[in-house]
């Protein structure tokens, strides 16, 4: 059996969470990541018949029975993960009943997965239904994105269009735009269901006055989506109080989508 601490997926979780912490996106225990793993790859590192303990997930996810995820722990700090993965991360498999998580590794101090697991698992189901390649759901609290939710109209078209207009790369990176949820209580099945509903259409969902959810095939795609939104939101927050002299016209945004052959939310432009 290979050393689990050397597994690429453990190393990716460590590197990504450390990076996010240093960017200021994950203060204290803020943020969480779940990563759908390949069973055969996990079997190189763990005995899949050895269930350490079982933990109820709080809802039924029939579509995910047998699927294995590495997930950040509840109450754990992103800043500590790279130095102590075994206490701060866990590898779980969704049991045959669809509502129990079988712990295969991690949460060594008796912990459990993020309180946002319902939003994560429901979002995985949604994204997999539109893209079977989806592996990652990532949640964090980036500063400028969060600040923008205090001062911008939280309408999907208006918010997406504003972000697209902040810089050329925006529409190229997230032509599908952003889903928006109003402020809601977090950690509940309700916000999980609302997020997952948006995830059928978007890879990015904003939680007003809380943070952002991103989804993608791998860490780079998912991180890159959030990073690009955050950069555009930063442009907005740095300039929103100043007279705008130059902006990208809607015709220019359309021309970008033609140049890069992108399927985009045409109804989010005023053409
Ligand atoms: O896990 O970010 O939304 C801490 C959070 C809850
Ligand atoms: Zn959060």
């Amino acid at each position: 059996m290979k050393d689990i601490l050397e597994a690429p997926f453990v190393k990716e979780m460590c590197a990504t969470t450390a990076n996010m912490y240093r960017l200021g996106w994950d203060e204290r225990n803020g943020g969480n990541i779940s990563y759908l793993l390949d069973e055969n790859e996990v079997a190189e590192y763990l005995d899949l018949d050895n269930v350490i303990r079982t933990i109820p997930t709080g809802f039924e996810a029939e579509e995910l029975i047998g699927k294995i995820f590495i997930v950040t722990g509840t109450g754990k700090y992103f800043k500590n993960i790279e130095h102590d993965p075994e206490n701060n991360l866990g590898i779980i498999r969704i049991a045959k009943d669809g509502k129990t998580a079988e712990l295969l590794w991690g949460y060594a101090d008796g912990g459990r997965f993020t309180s946002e697991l319902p939003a994560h698992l429901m979002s995985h189901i949604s994204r997999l239904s539109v893209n079977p390649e989806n592996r990652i759901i990532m949640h964090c609290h980036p500063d400028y994105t969060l600040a923008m939710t205090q001062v911008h109209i939280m309408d999907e078209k208006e918010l997406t269009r504003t972000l697209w207009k902040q810089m050329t790369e925006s529409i190229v990176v997230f032509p599908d735009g952003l889903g928006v949820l109003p402020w809601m209580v977090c950690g509940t099945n309700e916000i999980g269901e609302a997020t997952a509903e948006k995830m059928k259409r978007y890879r990015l969902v904003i939680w007003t006055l809380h943070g952002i959810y991103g989804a993608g095939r791998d860490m780079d795609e998912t991180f890159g989506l959030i990073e690009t939104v955050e950069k555009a939101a930063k442009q907005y927050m740095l300039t929103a109080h100043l007279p705008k002299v130059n902006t990208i016209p809607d015709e220019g945004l359309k021309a970008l989508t033609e140049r890069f052959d992108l399927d985009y939310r045409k109804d989010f432009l005023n053409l």
Side-chain angles (χ1 to χ4, degrees):
M1 212 50 77
K2 295 195 212 166
D3 179 2
I4 184 77
L5 295 177
E6 296 300 320
F9 46 84
V10 172
K11 289 185 154 188
E12 274 182 282
M13 289 293 278
C14 290
T16 305
T17 50
N19 201 7
M20 293 169 77
Y21 171 70
R22 289 191 197 101
L23 286 165
W25 298 357
D26 297 277
E27 77 292 339
R28 200 174 181 276
N29 63 319
N32 25 75
I33 302 179
S34 59
Y35 180 177
L36 174 58
L37 303 177
D38 176 62
E39 184 180 323
N40 294 327
E41 194 181 356
V42 181
E44 294 177 24
Y45 301 90
L46 297 175
D47 173 2
L48 299 183
D49 293 325
N50 182 27
V51 175
I52 299 167
R53 56 192 158 95
T54 58
I55 316 169
T57 63
F59 75 103
E60 203 167 332
E62 229 176 81
E63 298 88 334
L64 300 178
I65 290 172
K67 298 257 190 277
I68 300 175
F69 297 88
I70 186 165
V71 187
T72 52
T74 185
K76 303 301 190 193
Y77 293 21
F78 271 27
K79 88 180 166 63
N80 296 337
I81 294 177
E82 64 175 333
H83 304 296
D84 188 7
E86 194 159 0
N87 275 317
N88 293 291
L89 300 173
I91 296 180
I92 58 168
R93 177 175 56 209
I94 305 303
K96 290 198 174 63
D97 66 1
K99 49 191 183 185
T100 305
E102 299 172 332
L103 182 63
L104 300 174
W105 174 82
Y107 308 140
D109 58 4
R112 51 186 285 152
F113 39 74
T114 170
S115 59
E116 302 295 357
L117 193 74
H120 279 253
L121 294 187
M122 291 182 207
S123 294
H124 276 288
I125 294 170
S126 289
R127 287 313 303 168
L128 287 169
S129 74
V130 288
N131 176 15
E133 302 278 292
N134 197 85
R135 293 285 173 273
I136 312 271
I137 301 291
M138 181 183 285
H139 165 64
C140 57
H141 308 155
D143 282 311
Y144 292 96
T145 304
L146 203 43
M148 202 169 162
T149 74
Q150 301 198 46
V151 298
H152 197 278
I153 297 167
M154 291 310 283
D155 167 86
E156 289 171 351
K157 171 182 171 173
E158 296 304 329
L159 184 75
T160 299
R161 184 166 168 271
T162 297
L163 289 169
W164 282 350
K165 282 178 170 281
Q166 298 309 306
M167 57 183 208
T168 305
E169 280 297 302
S170 286
I171 198 166
V172 179
V173 174
F174 51 95
D176 39 347
L178 283 85
V180 170
L181 292 188
W183 185 83
M184 293 173 76
V185 174
C186 57
T188 62
N189 285 357
E190 288 69 36
I191 201 166
E193 281 159 15
T195 307
E197 191 54 39
K198 295 291 181 194
M199 282 277 179
K200 289 179 187 161
R201 190 147 200 198
Y202 299 102
R203 291 174 297 162
L204 289 158
V205 179
I206 300 276
W207 284 7
T208 298
L209 298 166
H210 184 138
I212 187 165
Y213 264 76
R217 287 181 307 269
D218 53 31
M219 288 289 183
D220 273 354
E221 180 189 358
T222 316
F223 184 90
L225 282 168
I226 295 177
E227 187 179 31
T228 308
V229 168
E230 173 65 354
K231 177 121 187 168
K234 182 172 181 177
Q235 293 301 308
Y236 177 80
M237 293 308 298
L238 288 172
T239 57
H241 55 297
L242 300 171
K244 279 270 184 191
V245 178
N246 306 305
T247 57
I248 308 172
D250 287 42
E251 293 76 12
L253 292 170
K254 179 167 178 276
L256 277 169
T257 65
E258 286 161 1
R259 163 69 182 80
F260 292 99
D261 195 20
L262 300 169
D263 189 14
Y264 73 109
R265 279 299 294 265
K266 296 180 180 58
D267 54 323
F268 282 4
L269 289 181
N270 293 335
L271 288 169

